[in-house]
Amino acid sequence: MEDCTFCKIIKGEIPSNKVYEDDEILAFKDINPLAPVHILVIPKKHISSTDDLEENDEKLVGKIFTVLKNLAKENGLKNGYRIVNNCGKDGGQEVKHLHFHLLGGRKLEIKV
Ligand code: 5GP
Ligand code: ZN
């Protein structure tokens, strides 16, 4: 996707602070951290949002959650953490490339 910020990060056209990478998944620090640990985990394949997931993406999303869990452990989030996915306009999604926020390192106030 030409105009997608996260596709540009995957291609190295925009610099990022990477914390995990494999052939299908990339994780990097959020540029505007809302917590001491704020990492974004994304598929390398461009998927616009949760709403655009297809049945054959099920394994990929499962793998993303394993990466999220491992990153939480690596970052010492032993008291807990939050995983957030914003979808669409009402969900407040700004970057139209599927991503999961891993937030932790402080008590997160707003509870869904
Ligand atoms: P959304 O609101 O779409 O769920 O979250 C998008 C997130 O991407 C925001 O937390 C924002 O700070 C982050 N972000 C946007 N552009 C960049 C960028 O160029 N680099 C990094 N590392 N994070 C970005
Ligand atoms: Zn993209």
Side-chain angles (χ1 to χ4, degrees), residues 4-40:
C4 173
T5 302
F6 289 174
C7 281
K8 286 182 182 164
I9 285 177
I10 291 159
K11 285 188 267 179
E13 292 170 10
I14 294 175
S16 69
N17 204 331
K18 291 179 192 174
V19 293
Y20 175 83
E21 181 167 22
D22 66 29
D23 54 339
E24 291 184 299
I25 295 166
L26 181 68
F28 52 95
K29 292 188 180 175
D30 196 292
I31 204 168
N32 180 29
L34 300 177
V37 175
H38 188 170
I39 293 168
L40 300 172

Side-chain angles (χ1 to χ4, degrees), residues 3 6 32 41-42 44 49 53 64 73 88 99-100 102 112:
D3 276 345
F6 289 174
N32 180 29
V41 183
I42 67 172
K44 285 190 172 174
S49 75
L53 282 167
I64 285 174
K73 189 161 192 194
H99 55 278
F100 295 87
L102 173 66
V112 178

Side-chain angles (χ1 to χ4, degrees), residues 1-98:
M1 292 298 267
E2 302 276 298
D3 276 345
C4 173
T5 302
F6 289 174
C7 281
K8 286 182 182 164
I9 285 177
I10 291 159
K11 285 188 267 179
E13 292 170 10
I14 294 175
S16 69
N17 204 331
K18 291 179 192 174
V19 293
Y20 175 83
E21 181 167 22
D22 66 29
D23 54 339
E24 291 184 299
I25 295 166
L26 181 68
F28 52 95
K29 292 188 180 175
D30 196 292
I31 204 168
N32 180 29
L34 300 177
V37 175
H38 188 170
I39 293 168
L40 300 172
V41 183
I42 67 172
K44 285 190 172 174
K45 168 178 136 180
H46 181 90
I47 300 169
S48 297
S49 75
T50 294
D51 213 31
D52 298 281
L53 282 167
E54 293 173 359
E55 218 173 299
N56 64 3
D57 296 319
E58 284 176 1
K59 217 173 154 186
L60 175 62
V61 175
K63 214 176 141 187
I64 285 174
F65 269 77
T66 299
V67 170
L68 285 157
K69 183 197 81 166
N70 291 342
L71 286 169
K73 189 161 192 194
E74 280 168 29
N75 283 275
L77 303 182
K78 54 185 187 316
N79 291 330
Y81 51 88
R82 189 172 292 166
I83 294 167
V84 174
N85 169 248
N86 298 320
C87 179
K89 201 170 151 210
D90 282 2
Q93 183 182 5
E94 282 172 20
V95 178
K96 285 9 174 222
H97 181 126
L98 181 69

